[in-house]
Amino acid sequence: MIDFCLVGAGFIGPVHAANLSAHPRARLTWVVDLNLSAGKALTEQYGARSTSDLAEALADPNVHAVIICTPPRTHTPIIEAAARAGKAIFCEKPIDLDLAKVDACGVALGRTNAPFCVGFNRRFDPTHRALHDAIRAGEIGRPEMLILSSRDPEISPPDYVAAMPYGIFYDTMIHDFDMVRWLLADEPVEIYARTACMLDAKQNPHRDPDTAMVVLRMAGGALVHVNSSFRAVYGYDQRIEAFGENGMLISGNQQPTTVEHHGKDGIRRDPLLYFFIDRYAESYKRELDAFVQALEAGTAPPIGFDDGRRALMIAEAGVRSAKTGVPVAL
Amino acid sequence: MIDFCLVGAGFIGPVHAANLSAHPRARLTWVVDLNLSAGKALTEQYGARSTSDLAEALADPNVHAVIICTPPRTHTPIIEAAARAGKAIFCEKPIDLDLAKVDACGVALGRTNAPFCVGFNRRFDPTHRALHDAIRAGEIGRPEMLILSSRDPEISPPDYVAAMPYGIFYDTMIHDFDMVRWLLADEPVEIYARTACMLDAKQNPHRDPDTAMVVLRMAGGALVHVNSSFRAVYGYDQRIEAFGENGMLISGNQQPTTVEHHGKDGIRRDPLLYFFIDRYAESYKRELDAFVQALEAGTAPPIGFDDGRRALMIAEAGVRSAKTGVPVAL
Amino acid sequence: MIDFCLVGAGFIGPVHAANLSAHPRARLTWVVDLNLSAGKALTEQYGARSTSDLAEALADPNVHAVIICTPPRTHTPIIEAAARAGKAIFCEKPIDLDLAKVDACGVALGRTNAPFCVGFNRRFDPTHRALHDAIRAGEIGRPEMLILSSRDPEISPPDYVAAMPYGIFYDTMIHDFDMVRWLLADEPVEIYARTACMLDAKQNPHRDPDTAMVVLRMAGGALVHVNSSFRAVYGYDQRIEAFGENGMLISGNQQPTTVEHHGKDGIRRDPLLYFFIDRYAESYKRELDAFVQALEAGTAPPIGFDDGRRALMIAEAGVRSAKTGVPVAL
Amino acid sequence: MIDFCLVGAGFIGPVHAANLSAHPRARLTWVVDLNLSAGKALTEQYGARSTSDLAEALADPNVHAVIICTPPRTHTPIIEAAARAGKAIFCEKPIDLDLAKVDACGVALGRTNAPFCVGFNRRFDPTHRALHDAIRAGEIGRPEMLILSSRDPEISPPDYVAAMPYGIFYDTMIHDFDMVRWLLADEPVEIYARTACMLDAKQNPHRDPDTAMVVLRMAGGALVHVNSSFRAVYGYDQRIEAFGENGMLISGNQQPTTVEHHGKDGIRRDPLLYFFIDRYAESYKRELDAFVQALEAGTAPPIGFDDGRRALMIAEAGVRSAKTGVPVAL
């Protein structure tokens, strides 16, 4: 049984808490949150202990691993403290928004033996993974083009947007940049990005990019397109298309049921799942299970620090391209 | 160039006239209709001659073939006259509604060498034929169950219904009975049918069955289900499903475009093609071409008199089952 | 927290045990199985107690409810014992194979106040339920035809088949008969059934029907078709189609992923889920949750004894029709 | 009846000849081809006259319109000669590969009153047009992103490629650039393009780009992505996706039948139509009909000289971007 300390009880924290609680060999032992009442809601539900003091939880020798769900800019000190305390670390993406901070954190982490995993959960989505495995199995031969559509149904609240300018790169497409690296087993050498503000001033008061198109050129020659939007009113739109010398693979969207309604106006099916937590419910479970299995086996967690660093590097270069209007070499 | 005399300018007549006119090796020479103005509309469009006197057209030695599109109860004397005149005959289904009359006509026809084809056009639909060919090629092994959905968007006008009671068997499902024989290359040994009047008295004043379910048992053991309705408000619904020892084949519906609309309320595609003439446009062309090719080659037309007779026999037995409530042996 | 005693550790027992263990307000306390080692496997996994003596478990005053997963012919004495002991009862379908025994059991049960639920889990499948709710909401107006395809990928082992002749009615289509009643909120007045043995003597040594087609006529006039097979090599095929005056609703099949592969030979998607426990994983969870909620609220469980009895009655009449070859009135 | 002179009997010429011949109010009168035997094949089939001398055909006062199907670099003198002869002109795309020549031709054409139409047939594809009309009808509100996949199953023969370097822009994506303008009713202000040679030296001996990704920024703010390949082994892949403030519209691919095969390995449907002439058969018919109707009505043909020029301008800018690696302003 592996005891976890969850740091950050808001947003994605409860998802991890529920998955820990349902895992046969993991247990939620501590919840750390500056907002004690947020932490207590979780601890009461799952029978864990609550504190606002990270050090108190890290001092518990029973705690084997830490899950970091706080805002991105707070991640690196928590990572470093947890590593010093000899805990295994599962950190939500992005590691941080500042590459220099990430590099310093990587150095500190490297001085310890703390196992580290970054939460690019999409790698564990059964459909995306089936596409990945089919590419690896050579079903389409060499991949030549990759197209990712990555669209949220809504923009984040203004304060969240204010805290992370160009979040469409740092928070959203960073998932896609990781997928590109993972799916193609290759690194990009150049990125070109164009953005737009399509939402009105009420929805997007900070005029942060809410729409983006990206082209990546990979070291191996493949061309990649990513598009993103914060206004897919029809639901959470998450598609991947891999085109290769011998065919094409498509990872399609997900709907709650398979019901078809045939009426005078046409054939209607369910809208897409709307919320990312519903769409990726299974991948959140599976990434945690993979992390637990790695800790049990003493092997490296599935997605390492360098994976987190490289996805951030691509996001940052994308922002530079979007701001300057010219491609940026990587 | 094969010269045709079209008998019956209404309803399906214009479809055949247009297809003849577009055929590179066929020509519409005569249109025979008691209603001279109906005939003239066609002849003016396609440059043919018009008459209300069948004998006049049959006397033309240039006429090679006759296409019979008049109401079913008038078919047999026309067939016999055309056969006596030495013409090849393409007759719309059903040959007649009365098996005794059909048998007598068959005897008369047999005394001549007139090539004869009955217009079960669905055998020439590309999708249904692909399913047929896949069965023949053994893709699902021995067929074990066959399910046909055969639904019209509307009931025929009251006078048409009055002229052909139980038309859902004689006019609609007779197509399906032919498909069953053709797809399975087998004959039914028993039929069970249940019908209902679901339309209201205004739409269906004669209270003729507008809804039907049929189960057939085939000599080879396969079980077959056919369902039919005159109220598929969502369009002309024509599906076939063949289930066998090694898999299943489905011939699906047709829509005018592939457009998908994704909105808040779900994903919407076009309604089905609404009119049978649109849905089966290609099969009408191809059956005529197959008939022309058979005449050119001097081979038997693709769907013979006996095919027409057997489909009628099944329809008649189905009506008896529907009326008595018990299965009827064939 | 509601404590459960599970009776019958084989087959579907482990599914209920896992769902109980994951339920936030239920607990597996006892496992009763004549085969102690089967029971122990479950109890070790979930921390319950194991016995081969039903009475021992029923004597535990902490036990609130009993889940019966033994073979059908053993259900009624267990139901009666559990009812006498004042336990709530969740019984797998069918209640029994003999209507007289079921009626006697119903009388015995009626003398107690024991809450009773029969496990027609398909009512809780999200897609089937969405179709049900759409019918109730009037989306297709009055239902006129209902078509259910209910096909297993394999036949049960010979001893299982020997223990339940005509199991395609009593074990498989009994689900569909329940769905028909539930979806249409109506009762059948007549059933016609035809069966076949399509599997070879090795797969089906008892020559029990492995293929079936059924037509039901409902009191309200709707026509219903059910087809079933024990050889859907392409996976667990479970479809429902409801046709009504204003349209059609289809509950389609389920696949593990949405991946599409486009190659020279065509477009390929995943095969269907193969195992009923995968296909209906969610419905098993939801039916148990509904049972727990009913116990907590003190309301009637969602699917009553009479529902189990009526589905059996339809199955039995279907068997009589299949044996005699004529429709049977209900 | 409108008499046509077809110039260029190879490649797409026979498609237009067949459509002319089937059109109720058009007629193929002359075929002009330097290769007399190519022209004669067509004239024999359709009963027209054949010549290798354009002037001879243009001197025929019965000729009302000219269809130009020769290689692109030969178009402008034919356009100019036809215009001087007072003929209406239908010219295949691209008008030419050299913008200066096109501009000079435009000036010459402007001195006459010759009606002119450029053959961007995709505007007449029923599915693409339905998407266009839905955008215009406001079904997705303001379009924000447009994504076009435009992939051929094979590269052209080496001599064809040698005659038109960067043909993936000038010959293939020029269609998409026209579609972008038409669908969005807007002009691009910037283009960024990246290309690759993915085919091997045997298939693509001239190492001309066979794979491309493009991003366009429109004057109105929308972002556009186009991708193209000459190796879609799975068939002719032609999709358009329009994303807007209120939803998304997708124009999907086309298959010859709707047959689904369910087997152990999954669910298989037909491959896509392979040949552009099959995929766009209907659009070639409809564009010609629209041209005929415009001539009859005396209105401007549906796609003007300026449309041809602007699409070429975008293609040319795209080539410059692909060569320099930086975005090019338009």
Side-chain angles (χ1 to χ4, degrees), chain B residues 142 144 147 151 190 192 194 198 217 221 225 227 229 231 233 239 241 243 245-246 248 325 327, chain C residues 142 144 147 151 190 192 194 198 217 221 225 227 229 231 233 239 241 243 245-246 248 325 327:
Chain B
R142 182 177 61 160
E144 297 177 351
I147 295 169
R151 305 175 191 161
E190 188 191 73
Y192 171 76
R194 275 299 184 187
M198 292 291 186
R217 211 153 42 84
H225 167 71
N227 66 70
S229 165
R231 160 151 75 179
V233 298
R239 286 169 289 154
E241 176 183 327
F243 174 91
E245 56 183 337
N246 296 328
M248 173 170 64
Chain C
R142 184 176 60 160
E144 297 177 351
I147 295 170
R151 303 174 193 163
E190 188 193 72
Y192 171 76
R194 275 299 185 186
M198 293 292 187
R217 210 153 42 84
H225 167 71
N227 66 73
S229 165
R231 162 151 75 179
V233 299
R239 286 169 288 154
E241 176 183 328
F243 174 91
E245 57 183 336
N246 296 328
M248 174 169 63

Side-chain angles (χ1 to χ4, degrees), chain D residues 262-279:
Chain D
H262 291 236
K264 281 183 185 177
D265 298 334
I267 303 173
R268 184 165 39 80
R269 288 178 291 137
D270 282 354
L272 305 184
L273 291 172
Y274 191 81
F275 195 33
F276 78 94
I277 286 176
D278 295 327
R279 167 64 182 85

